[in-house]
Amino acid sequence: AYKHQLKLANEIIDRMQSTMSNRTVWVFAFIIWKIWRKIYDNIIINSDQIDWLKDIVNNGKGNIILCPTHWSYIDFLIVSYILFHFKMEVPY
């Protein structure tokens, strides 16, 4: 009975697990970029800080925890877009 329950649990977890489609991310990034060009004059990014984050992630020095304020959904969208633009893993 235990093996059956374990198999069933694994099947449920496999169905729950999400996968990210690169095509979907590219389409989303393109649409967001078009919208932001209409809304904002510019978005200023501290590329030194991005390089610092990339170094942490790529060299196994630690993990990054993103804590958007959720005052609006724009903060999460901007962070995701910036990570995508700098070829970092996008949270999902």
Side-chain angles (χ1 to χ4, degrees):
Y2 173 75
K3 287 185 181 183
H4 175 71
Q5 290 174 340
L6 184 60
K7 182 181 177 196
L8 182 61
N10 284 328
E11 289 173 3
I12 291 170
I13 290 171
D14 286 342
R15 285 194 311 260
M16 290 172 51
Q17 182 179 2
S18 63
T19 56
M20 187 176 301
S21 163
N22 285 336
R23 181 182 170 138
T24 303
V25 173
W26 276 95
V27 169
F28 170 76
F30 179 75
I31 291 168
I32 288 295
W33 176 71
K34 288 286 205 177
I35 292 170
W36 285 340
R37 284 183 43 205
K38 301 279 185 198
I39 297 174
Y40 302 112
D41 292 331
N42 60 24
I43 297 174
I44 299 169
I45 300 168
N46 184 333
S47 59
D48 291 336
Q49 290 293 306
I50 297 293
D51 291 339
W52 178 73
L53 290 174
K54 286 174 96 169
D55 181 54
I56 289 172
V57 172
N58 294 338
N59 295 319
K61 294 179 180 177
N63 297 313
I64 298 172
I65 299 174
L66 303 173
C67 299
T69 61
H70 292 297
W71 288 27
S72 71
Y73 286 106
I74 296 296
D75 54 356
F76 178 74
L77 295 173
I78 287 175
V79 168
S80 296
Y81 181 81
I82 290 169
L83 294 174
F84 171 78
H85 179 78
F86 283 93
K87 298 178 178 38
M88 295 179 68
E89 187 175 340
V90 178
Y92 63 100

